Amino acid sequence: MSDCIFCKIIDGAVPSMKVYEDAYSLVIMDIAGDVDGHMLAIPKRHIKSIFDCDSDTLHHVMDTVKVVASRLKEKCGYDGVNLLNASGEAAGQSVGHFHIHIIPRKDGDGIDAWPRFPGSKEEISKIYDNIINIQEENKNETL
């Protein structure tokens, strides 16, 4: 997609600091400067969000995330990572190309990467009842 910043990075039209690249995905340093080591894992194909992502692409991107997260732990002394994704404008997605933020973490780093939620408005059972048949529906779709 010609107006997508991530597609421009993938095509080499916009410079980036590439951390990892394979046939399916790319990991770049995030230029936000908000957290040491903040990176973005993106599929090379333009996919708007997780809702549009096929399972093979998602699998490849997550494999890439694991490779990079393991490297952060082994070579950079990080103790963990937060993986963040916003899919859809309602969730705060600001770039219309699926991506996963990799936030390296050290014990006691003081980073609060977990959002503060205002509290549930719906009964848990109502949402549960609406999605309970998801496994059965997925089984039927794949047959």
Side-chain angles (χ1 to χ4, degrees):
M1 182 172 268
S2 63
D3 60 339
C4 173
I5 187 65
F6 290 162
C7 288
K8 290 177 183 178
I9 289 170
I10 291 163
D11 292 340
V14 172
S16 67
M17 296 176 75
K18 294 180 181 179
V19 174
Y20 180 89
E21 183 174 16
D22 63 22
Y24 305 96
S25 58
L26 175 68
V27 176
I28 58 172
M29 298 302 298
D30 190 305
I31 62 171
D34 52 1
V35 177
D36 290 340
H38 184 173
M39 293 176 248
L40 303 171
I42 56 179
K44 285 190 165 180
R45 281 191 320 113
H46 182 81
I47 296 169
K48 183 173 181 177
S49 72
I50 198 165
F51 302 113
D52 307 305
C53 194
D54 62 276
S55 59
D56 285 341
T57 300
L58 185 59
H59 182 94
H60 286 296
V61 171
M62 290 309 295
D63 282 349
T64 293
V65 167
K66 184 176 179 183
V67 166
V68 172
S70 296
R71 183 76 176 200
L72 285 165
K73 188 173 183 178
E74 294 165 9
K75 299 292 185 180
C76 300
Y78 287 101
D79 301 307
V81 295
N82 286 111
L83 303 178
L84 307 172
N85 168 260
S87 283
E89 289 180 24
Q93 184 175 4
S94 60
V95 177
H97 189 122
F98 177 64
H99 58 286
I100 298 173
H101 295 259
I102 304 170
I103 312 293
R105 302 296 304 275
K106 289 188 177 184
D107 289 333
D109 62 14
I111 297 169
D112 186 6
W114 203 256
R116 302 238 184 264
F117 297 110
S120 300
K121 294 181 176 109
E122 297 281 343
E123 288 294 323
I124 191 171
S125 60
K126 181 179 177 183
I127 296 168
Y128 174 80
D129 289 343
N130 285 332
I131 66 168
I132 187 64
N133 292 325
I134 195 168
Q135 187 172 353
E136 191 63 33
E137 289 170 6
N138 278 344
K139 200 183 304 181
N140 291 336
E141 287 177 15
T142 58
L143 295 177

